[in-house]
Structures are given as structure tokens and as C-alpha cells.
Amino acid sequence: DGSWPRVRAGVAAAAPDAGKTWEFVLARAIVDAVAGDGGAFWTQYAGVLPPPEKLAHPFLLSDAELASLQDDDLAAEGRNDAMRIAALMPDLMDAIEGGERGEHETAVGAWALAVVRSRAMLAGLNTYAVVPFLDLANHATIPSVDYRCEGVETRTNGIGIAPQEKDATTFELVALKPRKADEELRLAYTRGQLTSAAHFAQYGFAPPGGSPLDRIDLIGGDDGGGVVRASARLRAALKRATKAALTRCAGEEGGGEKHAGWVAAAASVSAAFGSGDGDGDGE
């Protein structure tokens, strides 16, 4: 029962094709909903959406905030997205009253795109939808629920979803294990498929404890031998610590389980740093 004027403007023939992607069209729909142009139901839904100060996507941040991330790639991505938003939604660049981050204003279109990126759900092959109230579920690395719909198959173990041939019109929240009546239900937003930086770019926060895909290059390039020697010393120190732990566990009562854990740790160290014949202590 809504008129959806901003959506119609965004998909009109005169509008740039780059602005007709699903996330920009949904962002326009969010603005229509907030403005009361999407019908009574969507007006009510708009009342539960987060205000600008609750979102922290890179393209919403000021230059000072981007610098504080200490991630040049993430900061560059945020600036590029901000420029795309201005170019593709010039009619939605008015600042939100009360949505300032210090002296940095938040444009209506940028806020709406952040809402879409953090709340849209897969609804079929290359199809995404904003699902009211289901999108209120918070994130957990180990989820207690998943969702399913006609266009998406949910596996019973909750690890990943496979797109099907038809798009969804109904969604269900599915418990992955028994829960208490007063226990919060949490979804795994990325199912372990994003690094912490990519998770921050998509949802505006980094997963607590980091992501299994996070990596730090401990070796880097060769600066004339110094980095290589430092890496060898680190490898040797880790091996010595692991051997000491194995010896200590062997002498403890009931240390078998600990011993097995340290054996696994030693294998991980060897895989990460190589077997190396020397102890790496020499210069």
C-alpha cells in the first residue's frame, strides 16, 4: 500500500545502472519506509531500525575515525564507498538531524546502506531481502539458531546455507539446539566466511575473539636477513616452549589429554613456521 517514490526513482530508466544493484535499491526502500512512503507495516518496522550513532561501517566514519582503525585498506574502502554513495544516491545526501559523529554528518543514503548491509539476508540465487524482526537477531560465532526459507536450505549443523532455484517469500527461524525460554537466540552472520576486517566492513563491528580466517604475516619480506633471522628465532622459541610443555605434561598425573593437546599445538607450529633444522639462535 506504499508509493515507494525513492525506489521508483532509483530504478527509473534515467537512473545510473550502477545504482540499481540490490543493496542500493533496498537502501532506497529503507528511506521510503522511514519516511512513511512504504505503507503502514513498513512504517512500524522503521521504528526498530538503529540510529546512525549505533552504526560504524567504514563509509560512515570520519577521517579521524578511519585513521584510528590502523588499516589502510579498510579506510580506503570506506572512502571509496562514501564516494559511490554520493554518486549513485545524490538525492539522499541530506544529513540526518542528530546523526552527527562529532563534526562528521551522516547522510540519509549512507545510513540506509549501512542498515541494508548489516541486516539483509540471502533469499535465493543472488537475491537478498530485508526480513523484518528476524533481522533483530544478534551475532554469535557459534549460533543457536539459523534461518530457512523457500529459496535457502538450512543445514542441521548450522554451518553454511546453499541457495536453491527459487526465491523466498517466507522465512523461518530454526533452533539448532535446545534453548531455554529466556535465552537469547543468535545467528552466525558470516558462518566463519569473513575475516575480522571484512566482517567490520559488512556489519560495522568485528566479531568478538576475531575470525578463524584472520592472518598476520610474521615473516614478511627479506630486509637483508634480519627478518629471516628473527623468524628463525621465533620458530626455535616456540619449539622449545612446546617441548617443555610436553615434558611437563608427561610427568603430571592425568596429563594424557594435555599431552595430546600440546602434540597438536606442536604440529600447528611446524606447519606455520616450517620444520627448520637449526635452532635459529645464531646471528
Side-chain angles (χ1 to χ4, degrees), residues 216-219 230-236 238-239 265-276:
I216 297 177
D217 186 359
L218 295 176
I219 298 178
S231 174
R233 289 196 298 270
L234 175 59
R235 178 175 62 238
L238 287 170
K239 285 185 176 181
S268 298
V269 169
S270 296
F273 292 96
S275 57

Side-chain angles (χ1 to χ4, degrees), residues 121-129 147 149-152 161-168 171:
M121 295 182 170
L122 182 66
L125 291 173
N126 299 316
T127 303
Y128 294 83
Y147 74 92
C149 58
E150 294 171 340
V152 174
I161 49 179
Q164 304 300 301
E165 290 298 326
K166 62 178 182 178
D167 296 337
F171 288 77

Side-chain angles (χ1 to χ4, degrees), residues 127-149:
T127 303
Y128 294 83
V130 173
V131 186
F133 312 118
L134 184 61
D135 62 359
L136 293 176
N138 286 321
H139 168 76
T141 302
I142 301 177
S144 58
V145 296
D146 206 334
Y147 74 92
R148 67 185 177 198
C149 58

Side-chain angles (χ1 to χ4, degrees), residues 86 109 111 152 183 186 201 203 208 243 249 255 277:
W111 167 78
V152 174
E183 193 169 354
R186 290 176 174 258
Y203 297 101
K243 289 180 180 178
C249 287
D277 295 331

Side-chain angles (χ1 to χ4, degrees), residues 55-168:
L55 300 173
H57 294 68
F59 55 82
L60 296 179
L61 304 182
S62 66
D63 286 339
E65 289 172 318
L66 288 175
S68 71
L69 297 177
Q70 301 182 37
D71 187 319
D72 292 342
D73 292 338
L74 197 57
E77 181 180 346
R79 294 188 183 96
N80 289 337
D81 278 342
M83 289 189 291
R84 288 181 63 234
I85 292 167
L88 299 177
M89 294 192 290
D91 53 323
L92 299 181
M93 291 305 295
D94 291 340
I96 298 176
E97 184 176 353
E100 300 86 357
R101 306 176 67 91
E103 297 181 356
H104 183 68
E105 295 181 332
T106 300
V108 172
W111 167 78
L113 186 63
V115 169
V116 168
R117 284 195 177 177
S118 60
R119 302 173 90 85
M121 295 182 170
L122 182 66
L125 291 173
N126 299 316
T127 303
Y128 294 83
V130 173
V131 186
F133 312 118
L134 184 61
D135 62 359
L136 293 176
N138 286 321
H139 168 76
T141 302
I142 301 177
S144 58
V145 296
D146 206 334
Y147 74 92
R148 67 185 177 198
C149 58
E150 294 171 340
V152 174
E153 176 186 356
T154 300
R155 300 178 184 175
T156 55
N157 61 8
I159 303 175
I161 49 179
Q164 304 300 301
E165 290 298 326
K166 62 178 182 178
D167 296 337

